[in-house]
Amino acid sequence: MSSIHPNMALTGEPPKSINTQQKLATFLGMSGLIILLLAAFNINFPNKTLWLSISLASIFAGIVWFAKAAYSDTHPGIKNDGVWFKSMSSRGYLAWLAGISLTGFYIVLYFFPQFIGLVQDGDNTGLIALFDPLSKALSGNPASQWFVYGTLYTIAIAAFGIKFIWKYRHNRYEKLRTISVIFFQTAFAFLIPEFMARLNSDTFSLPYYDLKNIWPLNYYNFEQYRVDDFISAGDIGLALLLFGIVSIFVITPILTYKYGKRWYCSWVCGCGGLAETAGDSYRQLSDKSQFAWKVERWVVHSVLVFVVVMTTAVIYSYLGDDASKYWLTRDTFLIGVGILLTLLFAGIWFFKKEELAKDARIGAIGYLVIVLSLIGFHYAGGTTLFLFNAESLRQAYGFLIGAIFSGVIGTGFYPIFGNRVWCRFGCPMAAILGLQQRLFSKFRITTNGGQCISCGNCSTYCEMGIDVRAYAQKGENIVRASCVGCGICAAVCPRGVLKLENGSLDGRINSEEVLLGNDVDLMDLLNQKSR
């Protein structure tokens, strides 16, 4: 018996009410969250280990159960039904409520941790005290606001990661990279640093080190106190310091050349991991306008210039001047940085002049600012850059970029601006990797223009605000600095138009090729590609 559907709207039907299992899952998850809220309001739980276990298990199980109830009885395939009808995913009342709540949480976490129970001299109280048993079990130390945050962060990535895998279970790439970010967040960002802290004693001390964080994302890694801690920890500390340097100049360039920035931004990074899992419901909110793209280019590269200047100033401030005592003096360091930047920029300009195109102005301005800053270091002497102290630069960067941008705005505003605000507009690591991906990488997203039906799914769900459909319609390779290689554009394409590939650098950027029309000799083009 056939049924008649009178509604012929292309957007489909509004989403149905959640089912009974989802209601029970919501009750379970909210129960765990209420326990944390009660602790935040200084309710003293007698058996903290038990209540913390109940709370975290309830939150995790509630999220996973809700996802299972939502997707387990559906066929594998694209699952973005009704996102513009739901208040939570379309900037409705619930989205604003969630955004304000998250923003408030980040403000308290960064600037007022005493409100959630952090006590500098004495026993913790409130929410932080509830996490003391877990922190002592892992590191032997009482909990801090950062341990609380790290625990909740890891649970969010793991639980929403399982939801993500169920949602995109038709796509092997999405499942593999989600398992990867869950592993790196749990092992490298959460457990290993806590176990390292347990090794510390009166005679041996390692600084906290998230091994997957690479400069400039961990902008504090080369501050004097951390370098001193690394050196004082002997061979292990020196190995960690050298690993941090090798990660910048060897590991990162090689992996980005082979796989593009996706190896880090979508497979390893914790910021990207949270955005892809907990923030998946908000990816369609990214601004696709040309104005947003222009703002993105200026802002993210300005942050990159800022962190290079700041890091140079900090290292310069604690180096010595006497060449007979130190192999690395201030002048040597300053000259080395200047030569490195000059060679880098000259090489890009010489070998990639045509591909640089519109990026030339941003690159030139950034390079000029850095060089002028280096000159300023040299002639100002001491620790000042013109009117600014190196420590003041570090504090300004930490407050404006490390706290306000990456935390309060970057994550707190997921439900309003989309899930990759920080990655797109503020992350200096993304800027560096993006520059290499655009100019010196094998990665590209290829398109089969003849199969594109212009449905717009790819552009709608691109979290980085790229108009993917415009490339697909022309059969043009997508090679963008901002692309994090998440693969969602390919996962939501109903025709298999898009494919993430690593290949030869020749013909990688084919902006003048149009596969629909008579202005290209298709046989000649095919022969060129097969060589």
Side-chain angles (χ1 to χ4, degrees), residues 47 61 129 138 216 230 305 385 431-432 462 476 517:
N47 189 334
L138 294 176
F230 282 132
V305 170
L385 168 61
I432 288 180
C462 177
E476 181 181 340

Side-chain angles (χ1 to χ4, degrees), residues 60 63 150-165 178-186 189 212 268-278:
F60 183 87
I63 295 171
T151 304
L152 296 177
Y153 200 103
T154 303
I155 288 176
I157 289 181
F160 283 104
I162 294 173
K163 170 184 176 289
F164 188 90
I165 290 173
T178 303
I179 292 171
S180 175
V181 296
I182 293 173
F183 167 74
F184 277 102
Q185 173 60 33
T186 304
K212 66 178 178 52
V268 174
C269 179
C271 300
L274 189 70
E276 292 294 333
T277 54

Side-chain angles (χ1 to χ4, degrees), residues 186-201:
T186 304
F188 283 72
F190 184 61
L191 292 178
I192 292 178
E194 295 299 324
F195 294 153
M196 288 170 61
R198 182 171 280 278
L199 299 175
N200 292 342
S201 63

Side-chain angles (χ1 to χ4, degrees), residues 54-95:
I54 292 173
S55 173
L56 298 182
S58 297
I59 292 172
F60 183 87
I63 295 171
V64 173
W65 188 6
F66 188 98
K68 183 178 184 299
Y71 301 118
S72 62
D73 293 333
T74 61
H75 293 291
I78 303 168
K79 294 289 182 297
N80 288 310
D81 312 56
V83 291
W84 291 110
F85 291 104
K86 299 174 183 176
S87 176
M88 181 60 83
S89 57
S90 61
R91 301 192 183 99
Y93 173 77
L94 291 179

Side-chain angles (χ1 to χ4, degrees), residues 33 45 74-75 80 82 88 92 98 147 190 267 292 329 333 357 399 467 477 483 491:
L33 187 59
F45 291 92
T74 61
H75 293 291
N80 288 310
M88 181 60 83
F147 179 81
F190 184 61
W267 287 71
T329 63
F333 172 71
F399 174 75
D467 187 5
N477 288 348
C483 177

Side-chain angles (χ1 to χ4, degrees), residues 316 319-320 323 326-339:
Y316 179 84
L319 292 177
Y326 309 103
W327 67 272
L328 182 61
T329 63
R330 287 180 170 180
D331 286 346
T332 304
F333 172 71
L334 207 59
I335 293 171
V337 172
I339 291 175

Side-chain angles (χ1 to χ4, degrees), residues 145-176:
Q145 77 271 36
W146 304 121
F147 179 81
V148 173
Y149 180 53
T151 304
L152 296 177
Y153 200 103
T154 303
I155 288 176
I157 289 181
F160 283 104
I162 294 173
K163 170 184 176 289
F164 188 90
I165 290 173
W166 255 318
K167 181 177 179 180
Y168 294 99
R169 63 186 183 276
H170 64 290
N171 190 291
R172 182 173 177 267
Y173 180 83
E174 299 303 330
K175 291 187 291 185
L176 288 176

